[in-house]
């Protein structure tokens, strides 16, 4: 599917709405789309790809199908097996803050929808940079707090306050919410993240855009205020500096 395009966005959104009922279809489609985005900057065949926080391994499997030497590093064993599938062979239970990898080992480091679950995003990004070779690519996407989906399962009521939104979700569903602000979900913002990344001297920003927006995907991230809501999910493509 052409990226960006209305057809692509609608297809991904429909799959997301069925994520609980059809997780394999949803994440397989998302993994294919993300791998296409990475390969827009060059093929991954025979490249070393590090998938950080990739859950059940859908992204890892997709990169391997394309010929990459991809390895999954996931800190939560429950996430590895959440969809009932066996994680990819060679998966490593490891924290993204401290990857068991030497400096510059990866051609591509990849993180999809992880940063909003990280308390210290700058340390997390620094670790991604450390394990990427000079000239290598860093792919980071995350759901920003003021996105309509920023509250995850209790969105969009997070606009009225996290605790109120979480309590509403639990009253309505009778289930304990998976996410709690300040514990496993954090309020990160587009503008602040862009300023922090651009201030670094170890990466160059290749692209900063909405991951799913169907048109003007890059332009929407350049409008202060508006970008905090309209971006939905910020995608950063970074190049490791020498």
């Amino acid at each position: 599917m052409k990226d960006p395009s209305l057809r692509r966005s609608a297809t991904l959104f429909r799959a997301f709405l069925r994520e609980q009922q059809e997780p394999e279809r949803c994440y397989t489609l998302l993994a294919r789309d993300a791998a296409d985005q990475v390969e827009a900057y060059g093929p991954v065949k025979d490249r070393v790809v590090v998938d950080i926080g990739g859950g059940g391994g859908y992204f890892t499997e997709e990169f391997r199908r394309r010929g990459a030497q991809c390895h999954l590093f996931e800190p939560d064993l429950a996430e590895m097996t959440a969809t009932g599938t066996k994680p990819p062979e060679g998966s490593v239970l490891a924290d993204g803050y401290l990857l068991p990898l030497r400096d510059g080992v990866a051609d591509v480091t990849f993180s999809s929808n992880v940063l909003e679950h990280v308390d210290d995003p700058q340390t997390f990004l620094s670790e991604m940079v450390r394990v990427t070779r000079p000239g290598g690519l860093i792919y980071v996407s995350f759901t920003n707090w003021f996105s309509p989906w920023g509250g995850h399962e209790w969105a969009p009521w997070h606009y009225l306050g996290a605790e109120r939104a979480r309590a509403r979700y639990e009253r309505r569903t009778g289930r304990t919410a998976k996410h709690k602000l300040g514990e496993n979900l954090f309020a990160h913002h587009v503008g602040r993240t862009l300023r922090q990344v651009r201030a670094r001297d170890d990466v160059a920003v290749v692209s900063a855009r909405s991951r799913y927006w169907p048109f003007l995907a890059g332009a929407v991230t350049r409008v202060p205020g508006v970008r905090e809501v309209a971006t939905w999910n910020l995608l950063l493509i970074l190049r490791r500096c020498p």
Side-chain angles (χ1 to χ4, degrees):
M1 296 179 291
K2 185 179 178 182
D3 174 20
S5 70
L6 187 59
R7 176 173 173 265
R8 168 184 170 270
S9 296
T11 300
L12 291 171
F13 186 63
R14 284 195 298 267
F16 171 74
L17 291 178
R18 298 283 300 171
E19 183 257 346
Q20 292 296 314
Q21 295 83 5
E22 300 175 349
E24 185 168 356
R25 179 179 180 276
C26 175
Y27 289 113
T28 298
L29 180 64
L30 188 61
R32 190 181 307 137
D33 185 77
D36 285 344
Q37 290 177 321
V38 171
E39 289 207 307
Y41 300 91
V44 297
K45 183 175 170 57
D46 298 325
R47 301 293 186 182
V48 175
V49 179
V50 174
D51 177 10
I52 304 168
Y58 290 97
F59 299 105
T60 295
E61 294 286 15
E62 181 61 32
F63 283 120
R64 288 182 180 181
R65 275 192 287 271
R66 298 179 186 222
Q69 301 174 43
C70 188
H71 305 278
L72 171 64
F73 294 84
E74 166 60 51
D76 190 341
L77 184 59
E79 286 295 324
M80 273 190 180
T81 57
T83 58
T85 59
K86 183 180 179 182
E89 184 178 350
S91 297
V92 179
L93 196 65
D95 196 316
Y97 285 134
L98 190 62
L99 295 169
L101 294 169
R102 69 177 186 270
D103 295 357
V105 71
D107 296 295
V108 177
T109 50
F110 178 90
S111 170
S112 173
N113 295 334
V114 175
L115 207 67
E116 69 264 35
H117 305 295
V118 171
D119 186 20
D120 184 356
Q122 286 303 296
T123 297
F124 184 87
L125 287 170
S126 293
E127 188 66 351
M128 292 186 72
V129 173
R130 181 187 69 79
V131 302
T132 307
R133 66 167 176 81
L137 205 69
I138 299 161
Y139 176 111
V140 181
S141 83
F142 73 96
T143 304
N144 52 294
W145 177 243
F146 288 126
S147 159
W149 299 103
H152 285 48
E153 71 270 29
W154 23 273
W157 302 100
H158 65 295
Y159 288 127
L160 302 179
E163 288 304 316
R164 180 181 298 178
R166 191 169 185 270
R168 180 187 181 278
Y169 172 86
E170 293 180 351
R171 284 196 309 271
R172 185 169 151 270
T173 65
R175 298 193 300 269
T176 301
K178 178 179 179 181
H179 297 99
K180 185 172 183 180
L181 191 67
E183 291 188 6
N184 58 1
L185 183 64
F186 299 89
H188 300 319
H189 306 288
V190 174
R192 186 196 309 159
T193 301
L194 290 176
R195 288 191 295 273
Q196 290 173 341
V197 170
R198 287 168 177 158
R200 300 182 68 110
D201 60 6
D202 52 6
V203 293
V205 179
V206 177
S207 178
R209 49 165 290 190
S210 169
R211 183 177 182 179
Y212 304 121
W213 200 244
F215 49 84
L216 300 176
V220 73
T221 65
R222 295 195 289 270
V223 185
V226 172
R227 64 190 175 194
E228 300 300 337
V229 177
T231 297
W232 284 52
N233 186 289
L234 179 64
L235 170 60
L236 295 171
I237 303 292
L238 311 174
R239 185 77 69 180
R240 175 74 159 97
C241 294

